[in-house]
Amino acid sequence: MKTLAINRDLILSRASDDDLAALDLLYLSDPNLSILSPLAKAGYFKARMGQIPAEVANEALQTIFAIAGEDGEALRGGESIVVFIEEIVQHCIERRIGEDRIIQIGFESEGSISEFLGNSDAWLSLDELAEISLNKESPRLSDVLLESLNRKVAHRKPECYPCDTDFIGVVTYRIKTIGNVEVQGFSAVDYYNEFIIGHERIELEGIEDGKFRWIDLLTKKQKADLGIGLAEDQDDSSVWIDRQQMLDSYQDGLVKECKIDCFVLTLGSGALWSPDGIENDEWINNLKESSANKPFHEQQAPILTYTYQSHSSQYDEDPGTALELIVAILETVQGKLSNSKSILTQ
């Protein structure tokens, strides 16, 4: 019996009657079914008994992970991946105009953090969601996972900064308001080694280190509405904003939202595999398609992965009946019959 093939087939509920009969015989001599991953073992009991023993369900649940990233192939190969987190930050810079007027320049900026999985906590195992309600009105498991990941990475103070060492950090600054006037079309992107400003009314030639005149973002009418002269003194520091001032303002701002736009659902890993295990070089991938009757290693990397993209609201490949197995496991852990009808959808 090919180890990889039977594990995949059990997780996807497509094991043949002959395969199940062979496992029945194996069970007599090896009650632990050491050829199977915890999740595949749950699939075997569901196929044979119509329900999953609680101990098997609990162990299986601990081996199902949602990881903020998109490279499932690398995970299957026992490699680390890059995780992506975006934070939306509201912040402002104040400028004094004349002797007694202060104008607020309001930003809503985006910080994008990309770092290796071993350095990140942007993942969760489904046993963390063991108490998830199965009675909500038609929630999708993918929505529950994405919401839970976003909640886990949520924070109030900005964590991103332009960087290419600790992680890859990129900050995109967007000015939304100047005083009570809305501003359209301004963005400045700080890549750490490069800084790019974009706006149709800003003259870029001669500007050094991301320094620009914020009053140039305004039309003549907007300047008049704000009581600002049409051509303020070029040497007046109050009409200039530079790269460092934007970063300082960003880091003093408040996080409006943290977003994870994609995650990898990992299935069929060993009982001791964990997304943070790569720090100790523990990840292995010792199963080949030709491996027959080989015990499933406790630190085996996932054998199935599915990448979910929030913008398309779907996986890169259809997990199909694997999601039904996950729901059955959750129902068992919560004390329900695994063959009862759940309102939680795929």
Side-chain angles (χ1 to χ4, degrees):
M1 186 178 297
K2 299 293 180 61
T3 303
L4 266 178
I6 189 59
N7 274 271
R8 281 195 295 254
D9 288 348
L10 285 168
I11 293 170
L12 297 173
S13 301
R14 64 187 188 194
S16 68
D17 290 340
D18 288 343
D19 288 335
L20 293 173
L23 287 170
D24 292 343
L25 290 175
L26 178 63
Y27 182 75
L28 297 176
S29 60
D30 180 13
N32 291 323
L33 292 172
S34 57
I35 194 176
L36 301 182
S37 69
L39 185 57
K41 192 182 300 184
Y44 166 73
F45 282 106
K46 182 174 184 292
R48 265 304 186 232
M49 301 169 53
Q51 59 185 40
I52 306 167
E55 182 179 350
V56 173
N58 276 293
E59 185 177 13
L61 201 60
Q62 295 172 32
T63 67
I64 305 170
F65 296 91
I67 301 170
E70 55 188 10
D71 194 350
E73 183 178 358
L75 285 170
R76 294 195 305 273
E79 301 174 14
S80 186
I81 65 169
V82 174
V83 300
F84 306 99
I85 301 173
E86 184 179 278
E87 58 184 21
I88 309 300
V89 176
Q90 294 177 325
H91 57 109
C92 71
I93 292 176
E94 292 186 344
R95 285 292 182 261
R96 182 177 295 276
I97 300 298
E99 294 185 359
D100 56 359
R101 288 197 61 207
I102 292 178
I103 289 184
Q104 276 197 349
I105 302 158
F107 292 75
E108 186 166 295
S109 303
E110 302 165 10
S112 174
I113 297 175
S114 307
E115 61 183 337
F116 280 114
L117 178 56
N119 300 323
S120 173
D121 62 354
W123 57 271
L124 54 84
S125 64
L126 260 68
D127 68 324
E128 297 177 49
L129 306 180
E131 300 304 318
I132 177 177
S133 172
L134 299 180
N135 296 315
K136 293 167 65 177
E137 184 178 351
S138 300
R140 296 194 313 162
L141 183 60
S142 53
D143 293 335
V144 172
L145 293 174
L146 194 62
E147 178 184 336
S148 300
L149 279 170
N150 282 322
R151 190 164 53 246
K152 183 173 182 180
V153 301
H155 49 268
R156 291 296 293 161
K157 294 299 294 180
E159 295 182 355
C160 184
Y161 53 88
C163 180
D164 66 356
T165 52
D166 301 331
F167 52 80
I168 303 300
V170 177
V171 180
T172 301
Y173 303 103
R174 301 188 193 280
I175 293 179
K176 295 296 185 180
T177 59
I178 296 177
N180 59 359
V181 172
E182 291 188 4
V183 176
Q184 303 290 333
F186 172 85
S187 68
V189 187
D190 195 336
Y191 295 98
Y192 180 72
N193 290 317
E194 186 179 11
F195 190 83
I196 300 174
I197 295 177
H199 194 278
E200 59 187 12
R201 281 190 294 277
I202 292 182
E203 177 58 54
L204 296 181
E205 287 188 23
I207 293 179
E208 297 180 358
D209 198 28
K211 189 176 180 181
F212 68 96
R213 284 164 38 103
W214 57 267
I215 61 170
D216 291 340
L217 304 180
L218 300 168
T219 64
K220 290 181 180 180
K221 182 179 184 308
Q222 288 172 332
K223 289 178 182 178
D225 290 343
L226 291 171
I228 298 174
L230 296 184
E232 296 289 332
D233 186 354
Q234 288 275 357
D235 295 326
D236 184 353
S237 62
S238 67
V239 302
W240 291 87
I241 292 177
D242 64 35
R243 179 180 185 178
Q244 186 61 48
Q245 289 168 342
M246 283 191 286
L247 177 58
D248 291 342
S249 171
Y250 179 92
Q251 293 180 325
D252 287 337
L254 289 177
V255 177
K256 174 184 176 183
E257 180 184 7
C258 292
K259 294 196 300 183
I260 290 174
D261 291 326
C262 59
F263 68 83
V264 180
L265 179 67
T266 70
L267 306 176
S269 57
L272 298 183
W273 186 88
S274 176
D276 57 2
I278 194 67
E279 291 183 326
N280 300 318
D281 296 324
E282 294 173 348
W283 288 5
I284 65 171
N285 181 29
N286 69 336
L287 284 177
K288 298 180 173 58
E289 291 293 340
S290 59
S291 298
N293 299 316
K294 187 171 184 177
F296 201 93
H297 198 285
E298 289 182 325
Q299 292 175 347
Q300 169 68 37
I303 62 173
L304 290 168
T305 59
Y306 300 92
T307 300
Y308 181 83
Q309 301 282 354
S310 63
H311 63 83
S312 62
S313 297
Q314 62 185 16
Y315 292 95
D316 57 345
E317 296 181 36
D318 183 9
T321 50
L323 296 181
E324 295 177 11
L325 176 59
I326 293 172
V327 170
I329 290 169
L330 282 167
E331 291 174 332
T332 301
V333 169
Q334 295 184 16
K336 302 175 182 289
L337 290 177
S338 62
N339 59 358
S340 64
K341 184 174 179 61
S342 172
I343 298 178
L344 184 70
T345 64
Q346 300 176 24

Short mmCIF file of all heavy atoms in Angstrom, two decimals, residues 101-106 176-183 214 218 221-228:
data_model
loop_
_atom_site.label_atom_id
_atom_site.label_comp_id
_atom_site.label_asym_id
_atom_site.label_seq_id
_atom_site.Cartn_x
_atom_site.Cartn_y
_atom_site.Cartn_z
N ARG A 101 -2.31 79.78 12.93
CA ARG A 101 -3.11 78.74 12.26
C ARG A 101 -2.33 77.44 12.19
O ARG A 101 -1.16 77.42 11.80
CB ARG A 101 -3.48 79.18 10.84
CG ARG A 101 -4.52 80.27 10.79
CD ARG A 101 -5.14 80.35 9.40
NE ARG A 101 -5.80 79.09 9.06
CZ ARG A 101 -5.96 78.67 7.83
NH1 ARG A 101 -5.48 79.36 6.81
NH2 ARG A 101 -6.58 77.53 7.60
N ILE A 102 -2.99 76.35 12.57
CA ILE A 102 -2.41 75.01 12.45
C ILE A 102 -3.29 74.18 11.54
O ILE A 102 -4.51 74.09 11.74
CB ILE A 102 -2.28 74.33 13.83
CG1 ILE A 102 -1.23 75.05 14.68
CG2 ILE A 102 -1.88 72.85 13.65
CD1 ILE A 102 -1.06 74.48 16.06
N ILE A 103 -2.68 73.58 10.54
CA ILE A 103 -3.41 72.72 9.60
C ILE A 103 -2.94 71.28 9.77
O ILE A 103 -1.73 71.01 9.84
CB ILE A 103 -3.19 73.19 8.14
CG1 ILE A 103 -3.95 74.49 7.91
CG2 ILE A 103 -3.65 72.12 7.15
CD1 ILE A 103 -3.89 75.00 6.49
N GLN A 104 -3.90 70.38 9.87
CA GLN A 104 -3.59 68.96 9.98
C GLN A 104 -3.60 68.31 8.60
O GLN A 104 -4.54 68.48 7.83
CB GLN A 104 -4.60 68.24 10.87
CG GLN A 104 -4.30 68.34 12.34
CD GLN A 104 -5.06 67.29 13.15
OE1 GLN A 104 -5.97 66.64 12.64
NE2 GLN A 104 -4.70 67.14 14.40
N ILE A 105 -2.53 67.57 8.32
CA ILE A 105 -2.44 66.80 7.08
C ILE A 105 -2.70 65.35 7.46
O ILE A 105 -1.91 64.72 8.17
CB ILE A 105 -1.06 66.97 6.43
CG1 ILE A 105 -0.83 68.45 6.15
CG2 ILE A 105 -0.95 66.14 5.15
CD1 ILE A 105 0.61 68.83 6.01
N GLY A 106 -3.85 64.83 7.04
CA GLY A 106 -4.30 63.51 7.48
C GLY A 106 -3.91 62.41 6.50
O GLY A 106 -4.12 62.52 5.29
N LYS A 176 -4.96 61.87 2.75
CA LYS A 176 -6.40 61.87 2.48
C LYS A 176 -7.03 63.25 2.63
O LYS A 176 -7.97 63.59 1.93
CB LYS A 176 -7.11 60.87 3.40
CG LYS A 176 -6.71 59.41 3.16
CD LYS A 176 -7.14 58.95 1.78
CE LYS A 176 -6.88 57.48 1.57
NZ LYS A 176 -7.28 57.04 0.21
N THR A 177 -6.53 64.01 3.62
CA THR A 177 -7.11 65.33 3.88
C THR A 177 -6.02 66.33 4.22
O THR A 177 -4.98 65.98 4.79
CB THR A 177 -8.11 65.29 5.05
OG1 THR A 177 -7.44 64.82 6.23
CG2 THR A 177 -9.30 64.39 4.74
N ILE A 178 -6.27 67.58 3.85
CA ILE A 178 -5.46 68.72 4.31
C ILE A 178 -6.46 69.71 4.88
O ILE A 178 -7.28 70.26 4.15
CB ILE A 178 -4.64 69.34 3.17
CG1 ILE A 178 -3.61 68.33 2.64
CG2 ILE A 178 -3.93 70.60 3.65
CD1 ILE A 178 -2.80 68.84 1.46
N GLY A 179 -6.39 69.91 6.20
CA GLY A 179 -7.45 70.66 6.85
C GLY A 179 -8.76 69.92 6.66
O GLY A 179 -8.85 68.72 6.94
N ASN A 180 -9.77 70.62 6.16
CA ASN A 180 -11.06 69.97 5.91
C ASN A 180 -11.27 69.67 4.42
O ASN A 180 -12.40 69.44 3.98
CB ASN A 180 -12.21 70.84 6.44
CG ASN A 180 -12.24 72.21 5.79
OD1 ASN A 180 -11.39 72.52 4.95
ND2 ASN A 180 -13.20 73.03 6.17
N VAL A 181 -10.18 69.67 3.67
CA VAL A 181 -10.25 69.44 2.23
C VAL A 181 -9.77 68.02 1.91
O VAL A 181 -8.71 67.60 2.38
CB VAL A 181 -9.38 70.47 1.47
CG1 VAL A 181 -9.28 70.11 -0.01
CG2 VAL A 181 -9.97 71.87 1.64
N GLU A 182 -10.54 67.30 1.13
CA GLU A 182 -10.13 65.96 0.70
C GLU A 182 -9.10 66.06 -0.41
O GLU A 182 -9.21 66.90 -1.30
CB GLU A 182 -11.34 65.15 0.22
CG GLU A 182 -12.31 64.77 1.32
CD GLU A 182 -13.39 63.82 0.84
OE1 GLU A 182 -13.32 63.40 -0.34
OE2 GLU A 182 -14.29 63.52 1.63
N VAL A 183 -8.12 65.17 -0.33
CA VAL A 183 -7.04 65.16 -1.32
C VAL A 183 -7.07 63.83 -2.06
O VAL A 183 -7.21 62.77 -1.45
CB VAL A 183 -5.67 65.36 -0.64
CG1 VAL A 183 -4.54 65.25 -1.66
CG2 VAL A 183 -5.62 66.71 0.06
N TRP A 214 3.65 70.07 0.52
CA TRP A 214 2.30 69.54 0.64
C TRP A 214 1.26 70.48 0.04
O TRP A 214 0.19 70.05 -0.41
CB TRP A 214 1.96 69.21 2.08
CG TRP A 214 2.08 70.36 3.06
CD1 TRP A 214 3.17 70.67 3.81
CD2 TRP A 214 1.08 71.34 3.36
NE1 TRP A 214 2.93 71.79 4.57
CE2 TRP A 214 1.64 72.22 4.32
CE3 TRP A 214 -0.21 71.57 2.92
CZ2 TRP A 214 0.96 73.31 4.84
CZ3 TRP A 214 -0.93 72.66 3.44
CH2 TRP A 214 -0.34 73.51 4.39
N LEU A 218 -2.77 70.81 -3.50
CA LEU A 218 -4.04 71.52 -3.51
C LEU A 218 -4.25 72.29 -4.80
O LEU A 218 -3.30 72.81 -5.40
CB LEU A 218 -4.11 72.49 -2.32
CG LEU A 218 -3.98 71.87 -0.92
CD1 LEU A 218 -3.76 72.97 0.11
CD2 LEU A 218 -5.22 71.05 -0.59
N LYS A 221 -8.38 76.67 -5.92
CA LYS A 221 -9.61 76.87 -5.15
C LYS A 221 -9.47 76.30 -3.74
O LYS A 221 -9.91 76.92 -2.76
CB LYS A 221 -10.79 76.21 -5.86
CG LYS A 221 -12.12 76.42 -5.14
CD LYS A 221 -13.26 75.78 -5.87
CE LYS A 221 -14.61 76.08 -5.20
NZ LYS A 221 -14.63 75.78 -3.77
N GLN A 222 -8.86 75.12 -3.61
CA GLN A 222 -8.67 74.52 -2.30
C GLN A 222 -7.77 75.38 -1.42
O GLN A 222 -8.03 75.53 -0.22
CB GLN A 222 -8.10 73.11 -2.45
CG GLN A 222 -9.09 72.10 -3.00
CD GLN A 222 -8.45 70.76 -3.32
OE1 GLN A 222 -7.26 70.70 -3.63
NE2 GLN A 222 -9.24 69.70 -3.25
N LYS A 223 -6.73 75.93 -2.01
CA LYS A 223 -5.86 76.83 -1.24
C LYS A 223 -6.64 78.04 -0.76
O LYS A 223 -6.49 78.48 0.39
CB LYS A 223 -4.68 77.27 -2.10
CG LYS A 223 -3.66 76.18 -2.38
CD LYS A 223 -2.56 76.71 -3.29
CE LYS A 223 -1.56 75.61 -3.62
NZ LYS A 223 -0.50 76.09 -4.53
N ALA A 224 -7.46 78.57 -1.64
CA ALA A 224 -8.26 79.74 -1.26
C ALA A 224 -9.24 79.38 -0.15
O ALA A 224 -9.42 80.15 0.81
CB ALA A 224 -9.01 80.28 -2.49
N ASP A 225 -9.88 78.21 -0.26
CA ASP A 225 -10.81 77.78 0.78
C ASP A 225 -10.13 77.64 2.13
O ASP A 225 -10.75 77.87 3.19
CB ASP A 225 -11.45 76.44 0.39
CG ASP A 225 -12.40 76.57 -0.79
OD1 ASP A 225 -12.82 77.71 -1.09
OD2 ASP A 225 -12.73 75.53 -1.40
N LEU A 226 -8.86 77.24 2.12
CA LEU A 226 -8.10 77.06 3.37
C LEU A 226 -7.40 78.34 3.81
O LEU A 226 -6.77 78.37 4.87
CB LEU A 226 -7.08 75.94 3.21
CG LEU A 226 -7.64 74.52 3.09
CD1 LEU A 226 -6.53 73.54 2.72
CD2 LEU A 226 -8.30 74.09 4.40
N GLY A 227 -7.48 79.38 2.99
CA GLY A 227 -6.82 80.63 3.34
C GLY A 227 -5.32 80.57 3.21
O GLY A 227 -4.59 81.22 3.97
N ILE A 228 -4.84 79.78 2.25
CA ILE A 228 -3.40 79.62 2.05
C ILE A 228 -3.01 80.39 0.79
O ILE A 228 -3.70 80.32 -0.24
CB ILE A 228 -3.02 78.14 1.87
CG1 ILE A 228 -3.37 77.37 3.14
CG2 ILE A 228 -1.54 77.99 1.56
CD1 ILE A 228 -3.16 75.87 3.00
#
